[in-house]
Amino acid sequence: MLAYRLLTAEDTSAFCHKVTRALSKGWVLYGDPSYAFDAANGVMRCAQAVTKETPGDYDPDVKLGDL
């Protein structure tokens, strides 16, 4: 199964750590990162899609962060 996640967070080093942690667990970058202004909160937000090949079939109850 190919699992997909969209990692998002405020534009701080915490976002970079979130992506780095996913990469260290075998996730692979998918596409370009996105960067947008969150007017409601007055901050910039980042997003990065990642994918990971995992054994087994899709289960909607699986916690993707645990893969």
Side-chain angles (χ1 to χ4, degrees), residues 1-60:
M1 171 184 84
L2 183 63
Y4 171 90
R5 293 174 67 193
L6 181 63
L7 305 173
T8 61
E10 189 174 321
D11 181 24
T12 66
S13 63
F15 174 74
C16 294
H17 287 284
K18 183 186 254 188
V19 174
T20 300
R21 183 172 41 253
L23 295 174
S24 73
K25 291 182 172 186
W27 291 85
V28 178
L29 297 176
Y30 181 83
D32 294 328
S34 295
Y35 191 66
F37 183 67
D38 176 354
N41 295 297
V43 298
M44 294 301 290
R45 297 228 176 249
C46 299
Q48 175 64 59
V50 292
T51 61
K52 183 178 185 180
E53 191 65 47
T54 62
D57 295 325
Y58 172 70
D59 176 357

